[in-house]
Amino acid sequence: MPSDIPAFAIHYIGEILKYAIGILSQRIHAFAHRYTYHPLPDSRNVVVIGGSFSGLYLAFRLAETLPSGYKVILVEQNSHFNYTFNFPRYCVIQGHEQNAFVPYAGLFSNVPKGVFEQVRGRAVGIKDGKVELASGEVVDFEYLAIATGVTQSPPAKLLSTEKSGACDELKVLQKRIGVSENIAVVGAGAVGVQLAMDIKTFHPGKKVTLIHSRAQILSSFGVRLHDYVMEKLGKLDIDVILKERPVLPKSTTWEPAEIEFKDGRKQQFDLVIPCTGQTPNSSILEHFSPSSTSPLTHRILVNKNLQLKDDLKADTTFSHIFALGDVAETGSPKFARAGGAQAEIVRANIVASIKGKSLSDYLPSALEGSLKLSLGKDECVIYTQDEKRDYMFSGKLKNIDLEAAKAWKMFGADMKNASNP
């Protein structure tokens, strides 16, 4: 495949340089902030709900930039950060699943004392300037950011909030894949494609079928990516069935099942793995402002500053409440890069509000929708599209754990300690 790297570099060099300069500026200001921030006994709370990619990055950046008199509180129910990018692979290979769960503590080791606090719990409601937790505890806030993400069926997301339980879920699927000879993966988005190709490349003797409801796999991207990945699937002898939406077993224990197709044909599989559907976690607004969620997508409605807005009252904006990431209706791709860009806008707008300055608008970039997709054990493809064209280039994977080690390093931790609780 001819590489689009030169064309991509020429087209996006300005944006890439701007991003690099921005990161450098962040590091300089963060260093100065360590010596200018002073904790106060009556500091006001900036609460972030959700410690996945978007929420965690927002909490980290707030801890680097909030003025004295304010502190950030991260409310998160999971014991560890879930590096979900690796879940498909760790469903297939054994002995690596612990690497997907990174301790939170190291990320905040260099921020000023008193600027950050983490509360373990599940947020269930908002009332009178307080976040209500399932435990009955409440957390006061001056500003609030909702980054609760989406719910997906395992293995895209896992059910347990404890590292040990989540590892056990991955081990169950590892064993089921190991003893199954005829496997169906339903849903050919990124997770389904990665999982199907990992199964086939790590277990080449197994029969793998990939089933998708649309005429194009990876439906959110261009036809060029579809064609490229379809060719790779064919070379691995993975059967692909398109334009089928079979009724799936309700069990989450990944048992043998018979799938019936729309032409009446039935096929028995030793294992059926669903990789379909997302449900935004927006129920926290159910009683506080139910008309602030989209009746169509159930995502949280926000304005251009990413502030919560009311669908029934066009002039009503909750200026002290923000939403970002996959749970927010931003018009941007539901990717970690987009969540990171939104986090920076929310951070800037919270600090600006505190200081009485004007707010920034969120303007999605094409680069936020860039996809790096593993294609089995050793290969990957990177894909970006904008309003004019798309860019695609292939690559080789350097190690079996993909980029998990980078995540651990970013968190100020060593993946060699992944076996620790």
Side-chain angles (χ1 to χ4, degrees):
M1 177 183 69
S3 176
D4 290 340
I5 292 177
F8 175 84
I10 291 171
H11 186 77
Y12 284 106
I13 186 64
E15 192 166 340
I16 294 170
L17 286 174
K18 181 180 177 181
Y19 174 78
I21 293 170
I23 293 295
L24 178 60
S25 176
Q26 288 177 12
R27 296 303 94 218
I28 293 171
H29 284 88
F31 180 80
H33 181 258
R34 295 176 199 170
Y35 300 96
T36 57
Y37 178 88
H38 302 288
L40 301 177
D42 58 348
S43 291
R44 299 176 182 181
N45 297 336
V46 179
V47 175
V48 179
I49 304 175
S52 191
F53 293 96
S54 304
L56 183 62
Y57 183 65
L58 172 59
F60 174 64
R61 290 289 295 128
L62 285 167
E64 292 186 323
T65 55
L66 281 176
S68 299
Y70 290 84
K71 69 177 182 179
V72 58
I73 298 178
L74 175 64
V75 178
E76 168 56 41
Q77 62 179 342
N78 286 325
S79 64
H80 290 66
F81 176 78
N82 285 208
Y83 191 66
T84 54
F85 292 148
N86 279 28
F87 282 2
R89 173 145 298 185
Y90 293 159
C91 291
V92 179
I93 61 172
Q94 298 181 357
H96 294 255
E97 61 281 343
Q98 68 277 359
N99 297 338
F101 304 98
V102 190
Y104 281 105
L107 182 63
F108 296 91
S109 59
N110 290 323
V111 300
K113 183 179 179 180
V115 75
F116 173 76
E117 179 183 342
Q118 185 171 350
V119 173
R120 178 95 186 271
R122 181 169 63 90
V124 295
I126 303 168
K127 185 178 181 180
D128 300 330
K130 303 177 188 297
V131 174
E132 301 171 326
L133 305 185
S135 64
E137 183 182 358
V138 296
V139 182
D140 295 335
F141 67 85
E142 186 81 8
Y143 292 93
L144 175 65
I146 304 170
T148 44
V150 296
T151 296
Q152 294 176 270
S153 60
K157 300 285 179 74
L158 300 175
L159 303 177
S160 179
T161 60
E162 298 292 336
K163 175 183 176 178
S164 58
C167 284
D168 288 342
E169 290 181 56
L170 294 173
K171 290 176 182 178
V172 168
L173 189 48
Q174 291 168 12
K175 292 177 181 178
R176 292 292 301 122
I177 289 172
V179 300
S180 301
E181 295 302 322
N182 187 12
I183 302 170
V185 177
V186 181
V191 173
V193 168
Q194 288 176 307
L195 181 57
M197 298 185 80
D198 272 355
I199 293 172
K200 192 64 177 178
T201 53
F202 284 98
H203 301 283
K206 299 185 184 296
K207 179 176 175 55
V208 179
T209 301
L210 181 61
I211 304 169
H212 194 54
S213 61
R214 302 187 184 185
Q216 177 183 324
I217 65 171
L218 300 162
S219 314
S220 300
F221 304 95
V223 175
R224 189 173 170 217
L225 182 62
H226 162 92
D227 292 341
Y228 180 76
V229 177
M230 283 291 289
E231 181 182 351
K232 293 291 184 180
L233 290 164
K235 288 181 178 179
L236 289 174
D237 198 27
I238 295 175
D239 291 339
V240 181
I241 300 175
L242 300 176
K243 295 191 286 187
E244 287 282 0
R245 193 186 296 270
V247 177
L248 300 177
K250 294 183 179 180
S251 171
T252 59
T253 55
W254 302 299
E255 298 297 330
E258 182 181 73
I259 286 182
E260 182 175 352
F261 298 98
K262 61 186 178 184
D263 62 0
R265 177 172 54 92
K266 297 180 180 180
Q267 188 171 349
Q268 182 70 32
F269 293 95
D270 300 331
L271 175 62
V272 177
I273 309 175
C275 295
T276 58
Q278 294 184 349
T279 303
N281 296 321
S282 56
S283 60
I284 194 170
L285 296 178
E286 183 177 356
H287 300 294
F288 176 73
S289 181
S291 54
S292 292
T293 59
S294 165
L296 181 63
T297 66
H298 304 291
R299 290 192 167 91
I300 296 175
L301 300 173
V302 293
N303 65 11
K304 61 185 180 179
N305 306 130
L306 300 184
Q307 295 167 313
L308 183 69
K309 69 178 186 179
D310 191 316
D311 191 39
L312 298 181
K313 302 174 183 178
D315 58 344
T316 299
T317 298
F318 299 90
S319 60
H320 61 304
I321 300 178
F322 300 78
L324 67 156
D326 289 356
V327 75
E329 193 71 276
T330 60
S332 67
K334 305 306 174 187
F335 278 29
R337 287 186 186 86
Q342 293 161 28
E344 192 56 35
I345 293 295
V346 172
R347 179 213 64 81
N349 285 343
I350 289 174
V351 173
S353 296
I354 291 171
K355 296 181 177 181
K357 297 183 178 181
S358 59
L359 306 188
S360 301
D361 295 349
Y362 170 60
L363 299 173
S365 160
L367 290 181
E368 294 172 17
S370 298
L371 172 71
K372 183 177 182 179
L373 184 72
S374 63
L375 301 175
K377 184 191 303 185
D378 301 315
E379 296 186 41
C380 68
V381 63
I382 298 171
Y383 183 87
T384 297
Q385 59 184 345
D386 56 32
E387 67 281 356
K388 294 182 179 180
R389 60 161 292 178
D390 60 6
Y391 304 86
M392 186 167 67
F393 30 99
S394 59
K396 293 290 184 180
L397 299 174
K398 295 182 180 179
N399 61 70
I400 200 170
D401 287 297
L402 305 176
E403 297 184 1
K406 290 183 179 180
W408 279 77
K409 185 176 181 180
M410 182 187 75
F411 276 67
D414 190 338
M415 201 167 75
K416 294 178 181 178
N417 299 320
S419 58
N420 295 340

